[in-house]
Structures are given as structure tokens and as C-alpha cells.
Amino acid sequence: MYCRGGLNLLYKGLSRPIGRTTKPVWGSLSRSLVLSPQWRIPEFNSFVARTNTCGELRSSHLGQEVTLCGWIQYRRQNIFLVLRDFHGLVQVVIPQEESAASLKKMLCEAPVESVVQVSGTVISRPPGQENPKMPTGEIEIKVKTAELLNSCKKLPFEIKDFVKKTEALRLQYRYLDLRSSQMQYNLRLRSQTVMKMREYLCNLHGFVDVETPTLFKKTPGGAKEFVVPSREPGKFYSLPQSPQQFKQLLMVGGLDRYFQVARCYRDEGSRPDRQPEFTQIDIEMSFVDQTGIQSLIEGLLQYSWPKDKDPVVVPFPSMTFAEAVSTYGTDKPDTRFGMKIVDISDVFRNTKIGFLQDVLSKPQGTIKAICIPEGAKYLQRKDIETIRKFAGEQFNQEVLPLLLKANRNWNSPVAKSIMEEERLGLIRLLEIQEEDTVLLTAGEHKKTCSLLGKLRLECADLLEARGVVLRDPSLFSFLWVVDFPLFLPKEENPGELESAHHPFTAPHPSDIHLLYTEPEKVRGQHYDLVLNGNEIGGGSIRIHNAELQHYILASLLKEDVKLLSHLLQALDYGAPPHGGIALGLDRLICLVTGAASIRDVIAFPKSFQGHDLMSNAPDYIPPEDLKPYHIQISRPTDSEAEKSSLNHPAHPES
Ligand code: ASP
């Protein structure tokens, strides 16, 4: 009579969040949807019409009269109805007696996802009919009364995790998508993490939660800002890309330890896994050094880390920027697996291979390689072709594949030209085993590292797609990257400098003298926190000396200092030494939950084109509404609008 298959399926759909994580993220349905309470179980039923949540009922509730409110998840043969709330599922028995005909009619006819209130008795399921896979599977509800609170129209998609839907549709009907167990889990985990962070910072370490303005003005340095028109002709506010200046000013103001769950805005155009508005855990402290900030963050993450994950091990390892670039080809290395970049220039000092000789004769010329374990087995000829094409097109670099065959011979276009001692040198340096593939490239240091860094990740994806487990999905590999250069050559004009972090970062104390002679050699007191190859935070010790700040802004960065006169002035009024950091909350929660995208941990995200697909923001406003702002626009004609929507489709993910 009971449909075990149906409920099992239903349970399966609700129990396992989709996404990159291959292991189940939680063990039981009831635990999953409210997460594991860390000290006490919250009171979910205060102030509301229900007596209990659907997901909490067990055999211990037998005989109790309960009132539940929830959505109709499922109905079976007009005999059972499965009711769902944020906490889980419970089975309700639809009365069959004549005397309850109108109740039966309502429960049988209410469409799926209608919201109902049900009152009745908790009874045990008949022997043999229990569902051990369902946390409430030992009991069911014998209904006495029920009320249809609101009916549900035909849905654009079913609220079941195993039903595939495009992301565009999910974003368009976000309020329905939020009903999924995946979104419920992600948002609840986010809320609990932030609560624990608040507690750690404010209650355990005396931080002050201060809100700073989101209507600010355009100031130099950093990402492009959104502008907001004002009623004063030609004047605009700007939405801050971070509360950086305010938090420093709070230190001047003697707040001493500041924190904020801060909304930040960056107008960076469409980027696949970025959001134009995002959230940072923003922190600043007075009288602190780099190790102080690092210890604070390690403690914060350890304290707020979900209890159902492996605990965070501190202190986190640390690597210099130079080492990160030369061994991983990036400033955010994924340290969960090897395949490191190795400089093999010395092996080829006497090479007969022409293009390698050429490269080594240049002052910056190097030869580097990565070794892909069992590459000969897992990488196909067409993969190698794609890799070589990518290197040629994106980096203007030649990549040579070398495959060590079982008979210890090379399979490579240059196999014949590799001398025996070079062969042995390579095997030793790269620790090559039979069936491994080596990818070799030659050229300028930064370019070769950056190319091999990309190929390393690309090959890891390829190997994993073919079943090799390189990166354990339950592993969280934190890493501090330190000793960044204070300045980098500007991309668009390499003759000029720009800040590697932001213009308020203090130089390394032992490099200050170089500021006046070789500024490009100065290291900054800047640190980034990397998790599994993603930058999840960054910060620095700040300049608290007005003169030094003025010199860096005006003389080295060629910025208009007038725009920052408020900050420069403040530094002159007894500004304490200070430093801070910001953690990207969206990215952090995305990695912790194993979600496929940061949009899956934000309640109402924008599409990657920056659109709100639910309300259609941004949208036109009538010319008369623009008048107070002294703004006139020439609205695109219908055909121009159509053309632009083809270039920026409203539903890019579909
Ligand atoms: N404001 C910086 C950022 O948003 C973080 C910091 O330096 O504290 O990246």
C-alpha cells in the first residue's frame, strides 16, 4: 500500500545537495535542513500557528495532537500526502471515511506545492510499513482538520532536486528555487557561519560591528565603481568597492577593532563566477602586525567552521608570492595536488635542440615542465593537441609533450635529440615514472610559469574527468600567500605602476628605502588567504604615515591626491598603526558547501551578465524620473534594444 519507491526517491532528492561534492554533505534529512545545532536546538515553533515542524516528528511524539504547516510535496493514490517544511517531510494519511468527505476532497484536490495547515494525531505506521530512510519514517499523521492556506498554480518546475532545470529558470523563479533542500541548506549554513563569526569577533575578541556608508564618492585605486546620480547637477555618489577607507578612519577614530558583514559593489562587467554586489567579512585592527591578523583569521575560521566537516587545522601554511608563481604559476595555488612546475633549464645547458638553445641564450630565458602522473594512460592524443593549440594561441608558446613509455623510451617529437644525461636529469628532477607525461615549455619566467600553471589545472580536470581522484572533495587546503610586490606594472601601460593590492598597503619595512630608487622591487605587507586554489581573502598592514601615503599616491601611482585628502588629513591626527583583511563570504560558503557556483549561496543573485532575471533589473526609468538628476539619455530604439539583448541575453545560462 505504501509506495516505498516513491518516498525513497523523494528522500534521496532531498538528502543530497547537488554540486561538486561527491560525498553526501549530510547524513540525515532532519539534520540537514536545520544543520546541526551547535549548543541548543532553536525553538522553531514559537509565535506561529504550528505546534511542530514536519521534519521533527518521531516515535517519541506518538499520540500527540499536532498542528503542522507546510507545502504539499507529493500525493499517493489519494491515500497519502507528504507535507514538507524547511525541516523535512512527514506523511499525512488522508481520511477515507464518508464523514470526512470534504476534508478528503480538499487534500486530494489541492495542487502540489499548495500550502496547507493540518491538525491531527501522531500515529505509528503499520508494522512493515516504516521507511527507515526517512527520518520521520516510523510515524504518520492521522488528520482531524486541515485548511488550504493558499493554492499553488501549475509550477514552472518541480521542487525536487533530481528534476533538472536550467539556471535561468531557477533565477527567474528564485522564490520557488529557494524551496529546494540545496538552497535551504546553503542559506542556513551561511547564516550559522556568520552568526558564529559574529560571536567569535564581538563576544570573544571585543570587535565592534559598525555599518559604513554605501553612498560614497569615487576614489582612486581598485576596481571600477557603480555610480549613483545625485540631485546636484553633475555630481554622483559611488557605491564603495569595499569599506576600506571607512575602516581605516574608524581606527583613527579609536574604535580599535572593527568588523562588518559588508556589502560591496564592483562594476566589472560580466564575469562567470563574480557578482556585481557581494559580501565581505570586513575586519580592521589597531596595533597589529601580519601574524596577528593571520592568527585572528585562523581562529575565526576554526571557530565558525561547520561541525559536520573535517576540522580546520591551524596554523595555515604560508608561501611567498614568488614561490607560488614559480611552482604553481599563480598567486592562488591549489595545493591539494602536486604536478608542480619544475625549472629544468640546467638539464638542457648543452642541448642540441635549437629552440631550447635560443631561449637559454636570452637573459630571462628558462625551460620549465610539469609531470602528469600516468598522463600516457589518461591523456589522449587530441588532449595534447588541444593543450599545444591553447599554448600557441593564448601564450604564443610552444609546448612539447614527452611521454615516458614502458620500455623507458621517450615518445616525443624531440625524442631523438634528447641526450642520455638529459634523460636521466629529467627523470630525477621531475620524478618521472613510466606512463607519465611531461609537458615542457621554454621562454620568459613569468610567462612559462603562468602557462604551465594553467595547464596543470587543465590536466587535473582532464584526469579527474577520467576517474582519477586528485583532489579529495572533503579536503580543505588553506594557504597564506605573502610577500607580494607592492606594485605591479599596469597591464595597459607597463611603464607605469599600479598597486598589487590597494594604495593603502604598507611597504615591507626592510624594503622602504627602495621606494625612492627601485619601487618595483618593494614588497608589500599584503597577505592573501587561498582555499583550494581560490582567493577567499586578502588584506594588509596599512600605511599610517600621511607623508608616505602622499608620496605613494602622488609620486608613484600618479593619483589625484585631492580625492583622498580626507584620509591623508586623518593620518596626520595621530592615526594608530593598523591593518586588516576582508574574507569573501560568498566564495567561502560556496567552497564549504561544495556548491557549483556562488549564485547557489546567495538568496537573490544576479545572472553573470549582472541581471536580476526575476524582476528584470536593471530596467529603464521614465525620462521625467531622470530630470531631478539632470540626466538625459537617448533611449535605444526597439531594434537597438533587441540587438543589445542578443549581445547580453537576459537568460545567458539557458
Ligand atoms: N579592502 C580590501 C579588499 O576589499 C581588503 C583589505 O585590505 O582589508 O580587498
Side-chain angles (χ1 to χ4, degrees):
M1 191 168 76
Y2 288 75
C3 174
R4 297 288 165 231
L7 284 176
N8 284 352
L9 258 185
L10 201 71
Y11 167 69
K12 260 190 208 148
L14 277 162
S15 68
R16 224 172 255 227
I18 45 173
R20 277 187 274 116
T21 311
T22 50
K23 282 191 187 167
V25 170
W26 57 70
S28 84
L29 180 63
S30 60
R31 206 174 114 234
S32 68
L33 292 181
V34 289
L35 309 171
S36 41
Q38 298 187 350
W39 303 282
R40 41 167 280 170
I41 300 169
E43 178 49 81
F44 290 122
N45 304 313
S46 43
F47 318 117
V48 294
R50 63 169 176 256
T51 58
N52 295 81
T53 62
C54 297
E56 77 177 291
L57 297 173
R58 300 285 183 278
S59 293
S60 58
H61 296 89
L62 282 178
Q64 283 187 19
E65 296 297 314
V66 295
T67 297
L68 309 173
C69 297
W71 285 265
I72 300 175
Q73 171 89 15
Y74 197 74
R75 195 171 16 239
R76 184 83 194 145
Q77 295 163 344
N78 287 348
I79 295 173
F80 300 113
L81 182 147
V82 173
L83 205 60
R84 183 199 72 238
D85 65 12
F86 70 95
H87 203 167
L89 303 172
V90 71
Q91 178 160 283
V92 170
V93 187
I94 301 174
Q96 303 296 320
E97 313 83 80
E98 241 338 281
S99 57
S102 65
L103 183 58
K104 177 179 178 189
K105 183 169 170 4
M106 187 279 277
L107 292 175
C108 290
E109 287 178 3
V112 165
E113 288 303 313
S114 295
V115 64
V116 292
Q117 182 173 324
V118 166
S119 295
T121 318
V122 181
I123 58 169
S124 55
R125 295 195 189 186
Q129 310 282 355
E130 302 87 356
N131 181 353
K133 290 193 177 157
M134 195 175 172
T136 61
E138 288 185 349
I139 58 101
E140 57 197 8
I141 309 296
K142 186 168 188 301
V143 187
K144 289 202 177 119
T145 59
E147 190 185 338
L148 176 63
L149 299 175
N150 211 345
S151 175
C152 180
K153 271 190 165 171
K154 187 169 164 15
L155 292 161
F157 52 80
E158 286 186 82
I159 315 294
K160 287 175 189 148
D161 289 346
F162 55 87
V163 172
K164 285 234 179 325
K165 49 236 163 210
T166 63
E167 190 176 25
L169 200 62
R170 289 176 55 205
L171 291 180
Q172 189 182 350
Y173 295 95
R174 189 55 155 185
Y175 44 85
L176 291 180
D177 188 45
L178 291 178
R179 291 184 190 172
S180 70
S181 67
Q182 172 78 64
M183 287 305 301
Q184 291 276 326
Y185 175 81
N186 292 354
L187 294 182
R188 282 166 201 278
L189 183 127
R190 182 177 174 131
S191 158
Q192 282 202 353
T193 307
V194 170
M195 192 272 290
K196 296 285 287 175
M197 287 180 163
R198 238 178 242 288
E199 187 181 86
Y200 179 83
L201 291 167
C202 296
N203 296 357
L204 301 188
H205 291 284
F207 280 74
V208 189
D209 181 351
V210 185
E211 288 158 78
T212 55
T214 52
L215 286 180
F216 191 40
K217 70 169 207 170
K218 189 169 160 48
T219 54
K224 226 173 161 27
E225 291 164 348
F226 284 99
V227 293
V228 180
S230 84
R231 286 167 187 266
E232 292 180 54
K235 290 195 176 173
F236 290 83
Y237 295 103
S238 210
L239 301 181
Q241 49 181 288
S242 87
Q244 184 60 37
Q245 292 175 48
F246 290 108
K247 66 176 174 173
Q248 291 193 236
L249 293 167
L250 287 171
M251 294 306 105
V252 183
L255 265 290
D256 194 71
R257 289 167 176 238
Y258 143 93
F259 123 89
Q260 181 179 191
V261 181
R263 186 53 66 89
C264 307
Y265 305 86
R266 291 182 194 173
D267 187 8
E268 297 179 316
S270 38
R271 305 271 281 272
D273 214 19
R274 294 270 177 101
Q275 286 281 299
E277 52 182 324
F278 59 96
T279 308
Q280 285 186 344
I281 302 295
D282 198 41
I283 288 172
E284 196 76 8
M285 291 167 94
S286 294
F287 314 111
V288 73
D289 64 9
Q290 181 164 321
T291 51
I293 299 279
Q294 289 176 332
S295 303
L296 170 84
I297 293 303
E298 288 163 357
L300 174 73
L301 287 168
Q302 202 170 33
Y303 189 84
S304 57
W305 202 247
K307 294 285 176 271
D308 59 350
K309 312 262 175 251
D310 289 346
V312 170
V313 180
V314 302
F316 302 152
S318 183
M319 186 182 288
T320 65
F321 169 82
E323 189 187 344
V325 170
S326 56
T327 27
Y328 296 95
T330 169
D331 60 359
K332 35 180 185 294
D334 188 341
T335 44
R336 287 174 298 174
F337 67 104
M339 282 164 56
K340 294 181 191 169
I341 302 169
V342 180
D343 192 315
I344 50 169
S345 309
D346 284 345
V347 173
F348 288 102
R349 287 286 167 220
N350 303 316
T351 183
K352 301 212 165 61
I353 304 170
F355 90 95
L356 297 183
Q357 275 175 351
D358 281 355
V359 168
L360 287 181
S361 67
K362 296 194 182 115
Q364 296 283 318
T366 59
I367 307 172
K368 295 183 196 293
I370 54 172
C371 175
I372 299 146
E374 296 187 278
K377 192 155 129 201
Y378 293 107
L379 297 184
Q380 294 155 8
R381 182 188 289 255
K382 75 168 191 329
D383 297 325
I384 302 284
E385 273 162 25
T386 313
I387 284 170
R388 298 185 76 178
K389 198 162 159 232
F390 168 82
E393 284 171 2
Q394 307 284 322
F395 285 80
N396 196 18
Q397 284 278 133
E398 177 77 37
V399 168
L400 282 181
L402 301 170
L403 277 72
L404 193 59
K405 293 193 292 195
N407 60 6
R408 310 292 285 170
N409 280 332
W410 295 111
N411 181 356
S412 168
V414 291
K416 279 200 213 89
S417 317
I418 298 180
M419 296 181 290
E420 179 61 8
E421 65 183 273
E422 291 168 345
R423 196 178 81 96
L424 294 175
L426 276 181
I427 291 177
R428 185 174 43 81
L429 272 184
L430 287 157
E431 296 173 9
I432 309 171
Q433 308 277 327
E434 272 171 28
E435 303 286 300
D436 287 355
T437 297
V438 169
L439 297 178
L440 176 153
T441 190
E444 186 267 324
H445 172 75
K446 248 172 56 198
K447 198 166 158 192
T448 48
C449 289
S450 161
L451 166 62
L452 289 176
K454 290 220 159 59
L455 297 184
R456 174 179 177 265
L457 293 176
E458 194 56 42
C459 291
D461 286 347
L462 282 170
L463 292 191
E464 285 187 337
R466 296 186 183 142
V468 181
V469 181
L470 272 183
R471 295 166 286 199
D472 175 355
S474 68
L475 196 75
F476 291 96
S477 185
F478 286 97
L479 175 76
W480 288 110
V481 178
V482 298
D483 285 353
F484 280 80
L486 189 58
F487 307 109
L488 292 170
K490 271 191 185 164
E491 239 169 68
E492 64 282 14
N493 184 1
E496 289 177 21
L497 295 177
E498 65 185 1
S499 301
H501 185 215
H502 54 52
F504 315 112
T505 300
H508 200 289
S510 41
D511 294 352
I512 291 197
H513 61 287
L514 294 171
L515 274 177
Y516 307 93
T517 50
E518 295 172 287
E520 64 290 342
K521 293 212 173 129
V522 178
R523 288 165 299 161
Q525 293 192 63
H526 160 197
Y527 29 83
D528 270 359
L529 184 60
V530 174
L531 172 56
N532 295 352
N534 298 274
E535 183 195 325
I536 58 156
S540 58
I541 300 302
R542 326 296 185 191
I543 299 168
H544 65 279
N545 174 296
E547 212 179 306
L548 179 60
Q549 183 68 80
H550 188 281
Y551 175 73
I552 288 183
L553 284 168
S555 305
L556 298 179
L557 297 171
K558 315 272 186 250
E559 295 287 7
D560 180 359
V561 280
K562 281 203 294 302
L563 294 171
L564 282 166
S565 54
H566 53 284
L567 185 76
L568 287 165
Q569 206 173 31
L571 295 183
D572 255 340
Y573 288 119
H578 59 286
I581 190 164
L583 297 181
L585 183 66
D586 308 306
R587 173 98 39 224
L588 174 67
I589 302 293
C590 177
L591 292 167
V592 173
T593 55
S597 123
I598 57 167
R599 295 184 290 280
D600 283 348
V601 299
I602 299 172
F604 297 102
K606 305 281 186 286
S607 73
F608 78 80
Q609 305 279 2
H611 293 143
D612 173 358
L613 300 187
M614 190 175 62
S615 71
N616 248 331
D619 208 351
Y620 296 112
I621 60 173
E624 57 275 21
D625 290 358
L626 287 174
K627 264 204 184 126
Y629 302 106
H630 315 276
I631 292 177
Q632 279 186 340
I633 52 145
S634 43
R635 254 189 89 156
T637 61
D638 286 347
S639 75
E640 279 166 347
E642 197 182 325
K643 220 163 125 198
S644 138
S645 74
L646 285 177
N647 290 335
H648 302 277
H651 293 184
E653 294 84 359
S654 53

